[in-house]
Every structure is written in C-alpha cells, then in structure tokens.
Amino acid sequence: MKRIAIIYNPNAGTFKRNKLNEIVKRLEQNNKVSLFETLRIGHATEIANREQNNFDVVVAAGGDGTIHEVINGIGSKTHLGIIPLGTANILAIEAGIDQDVASICNRIEHGQVRKAYVPRVNEKKFILMVGIGYDGDVVHHMQSGLKKIFGKLLFIYLGILGLIKLKKYKIEVQTEKGNYQGNWVLVTKAKHYAGKYSITKDTDIFNPQIICYVFQNITRLGFLSCLFSILFKGEIGNQNHVIQLEAKEISITSDQSVNVQCDGEKFGPLPLSIQNKLDSISLII
C-alpha cells in the first residue's frame, strides 16, 4: 500500500473532475490517497513542498502549469506522478503517459521512476520550455475562464490572432557561444510543442541538453514556414531565419516590454537568466 498525495487544480472542468474522481476511487482500493485542492497561483508549490516527505508519491493532477508548480515544490528524490487534465498535456506526451484511467492508475501504482532534467529560469525550475515573444503573447491573452470552456480552440484562435498582429520584438540573447538578436525566442527541454507536434529531434525531458531557438527577422510568411516544418518535418531548427543553440547559460533581455510564457503559463518579465544546472526530478513513467 502506498501513501499517495494528489494535488489537483479545481479549474479543470466538470468532465475532468469526474475522471479524477474515478482515478481516486480506483487508487483507494489498494492505497491511502489524500486530495489537496489548489486555491491560488503558487499554491501547488506550497502544498508539494509541505507534503513531499509525508507520502510515497506526490501526484500533480491538472495541466502543464499545475505540474510546473508541483515540480518547484519537490526535491529530486520525491516520486512524481501525473494525472493529465490540462489542454495540451505536453509533459504527459513527452513521458508517454496515456490518457485512460486504467493506465494512469497502473503507472502511479507500479510505474518505473526515471530521471527528468529541470533547468532553471530566474531560479525557478521548468521542465518544458520558455517562450519569449509570440507564444508569450498568446499565453498572456489567455483568460482562464475561456480556456476552461474552449480549451485548444482558444489557443488556435489566439495563435492566429497573434500571427495577424505579429509583433517584431527586439530581443537580445547572450550565451557562452556568442550574442544574438531575434524577434522571438524559444528555449526548450521538450521535444513537443502545443500538444503532440514535434519541434526538435535533439532533446527531450530525459536529455540534459537545452535548445535555444532564436527567430531572426521573422515575418508572417516565415512563421508559416516554421509551422509547415513542424507539421511535416518535426523540427524547426532547419529554417534559414532560425538560429539553433545548445547552451548551458542563457541571458535574455530587451528594451521593450515582452511577454514570457513558461511551461504554458504566464511568466515574466524580462530579463531572464536560464541555467542548466542538471537538476532533476524522479518522474513515474
């Protein structure tokens, strides 16, 4: 019998809450399960930090933003389980976690533990990516109430709107390999972006590398070219206007006010200091 703490986001919606209730019911047949509801931004981090030593498994139930908060509350030895209840669920895709109730319960109870690497942005851990510019704007215009109702459709709408109103920011990127300037910057640990779509073949959450993409002089046509490359080639680093960097330390600044997203949630503002210290979490897969 395992002691399982489930930290869940109550904004997941009725259908997803019913799914969570079914998972809890199954897990309680052979384990001691305790539920912790998040009440505000950052609350999942507080709960995870407080409870991690009281349970055998800490489970994040929600989207990538909820998982991001839980990761920032636990140490490297705490076993982390995932119940994907979000919109994109990129981390679940990265880890090969299925969406059905039986598979989720089986993994939490009997899954193997694997080391996943978590770099830091302004001293906060992240596991997927940091976007500065275009996708930062999309996430910052996302309203939680509408996101709960429309889900991926809202992302698509805001993505198209962001393309129509594409802002050409001037963003400075400094690494140990040189200095660069771009209109949009994406720093990723993950192989996937906006769901199941692959953007790189050079890293994933179980790989210690981080990849920095600097989009230079990007236009609407250039952006559509990137989209085509993601859909049909599974990578974006082969574009002429995209610089791909592998770096351990990245400094990102701008004289402008530029929106930032981290693991699919609002983050900010610039400047950012991103460091790959080879920190890790123990993820149940």
Side-chain angles (χ1 to χ4, degrees):
M1 183 179 75
K2 290 185 176 180
R3 296 169 299 162
I4 301 172
I6 298 179
I7 303 171
Y8 72 97
N9 181 355
N11 294 318
T14 303
F15 173 76
K16 294 177 180 178
R17 181 57 197 267
N18 290 339
K19 182 177 181 178
L20 175 61
N21 290 339
E22 186 177 350
I23 290 171
V24 171
K25 185 177 179 180
R26 288 200 182 198
L27 289 175
E28 286 181 331
Q29 293 176 6
N30 300 304
N31 307 279
K32 182 179 180 181
V33 180
S34 298
L35 282 172
F36 298 89
E37 177 181 319
T38 62
L39 302 177
R40 59 186 180 277
I41 294 174
H43 196 202
T45 299
E46 298 173 18
I47 297 170
N49 183 258
R50 183 187 71 224
E51 301 293 342
Q52 61 179 321
N53 295 324
N54 298 326
F55 293 87
D56 301 306
V57 179
V58 173
V59 178
D64 293 315
T66 301
I67 298 168
H68 169 90
E69 287 198 11
V70 172
I71 286 172
N72 274 279
I74 61 175
S76 60
K77 295 182 179 180
T78 299
H79 290 187
L80 174 66
I82 295 173
I83 299 176
L85 300 176
T87 303
N89 297 312
I90 297 176
L91 184 57
I93 295 170
E94 289 277 314
I97 295 174
D98 297 327
Q99 300 285 331
D100 65 283
V101 170
S103 295
I104 291 171
C105 293
N106 184 59
R107 276 188 168 84
I108 292 173
E109 289 186 290
H110 309 294
Q112 295 180 338
V113 174
R114 189 174 179 186
K115 180 188 293 187
Y117 290 92
V118 284
R120 292 179 181 262
V121 52
N122 291 0
E123 292 304 317
K124 289 192 70 175
K125 292 182 283 188
F126 71 96
I127 193 167
L128 296 174
M129 63 193 63
V130 179
I132 304 95
Y134 169 75
D135 55 345
D137 287 341
V138 171
V139 170
H140 273 254
H141 287 102
M142 184 76 60
Q143 297 181 22
S144 59
L146 293 177
K147 181 180 177 182
K148 181 178 178 180
I149 298 171
F150 296 106
K152 290 183 180 180
L153 290 177
L154 185 59
F155 272 110
I156 294 171
Y157 168 74
L158 291 175
I160 294 172
L161 188 63
L163 178 59
I164 294 172
K165 299 181 178 181
L166 189 64
K167 296 180 180 179
K168 296 197 71 172
Y169 295 110
K170 292 182 180 179
I171 304 170
E172 302 287 339
V173 179
Q174 296 180 325
T175 75
E176 64 265 29
K177 297 183 179 181
N179 300 338
Y180 307 87
Q181 187 178 87
N183 313 122
W184 175 30
V185 178
L186 184 64
V187 181
T188 184
K189 276 289 303 139
K191 181 180 293 184
H192 297 87
Y193 183 83
K196 62 181 180 180
Y197 305 105
S198 172
I199 58 171
T200 179
K201 298 176 182 177
D202 296 323
T203 192
D204 56 52
I205 61 170
F206 304 112
N207 187 320
Q209 292 176 308
I210 55 174
I211 305 294
C212 177
Y213 294 106
V214 182
F215 298 79
Q216 297 184 310
N217 298 317
I218 191 168
T219 62
R220 293 179 181 87
L221 183 60
F223 188 90
L224 290 174
S225 177
C226 286
L227 180 62
F228 178 87
S229 186
I230 291 172
L231 292 176
F232 297 101
K233 297 182 180 179
E235 57 182 336
I236 56 177
N238 58 354
Q239 298 288 305
N240 291 332
H241 55 275
V242 180
I243 298 176
Q244 177 176 330
L245 306 167
E246 294 182 17
K248 292 183 178 180
E249 295 191 6
I250 305 169
S251 175
I252 303 173
T253 59
S254 178
D255 292 333
Q256 301 169 276
S257 176
V258 185
N259 287 324
V260 179
Q261 66 90 4
C262 179
D263 288 349
E265 297 293 330
K266 296 177 184 179
F267 191 94
L270 294 178
L272 300 180
S273 175
I274 297 176
Q275 296 179 318
N276 193 7
K277 298 181 177 181
L278 298 182
D279 291 337
S280 65
I281 58 169
S282 298
L283 184 63
I284 300 174
I285 63 168

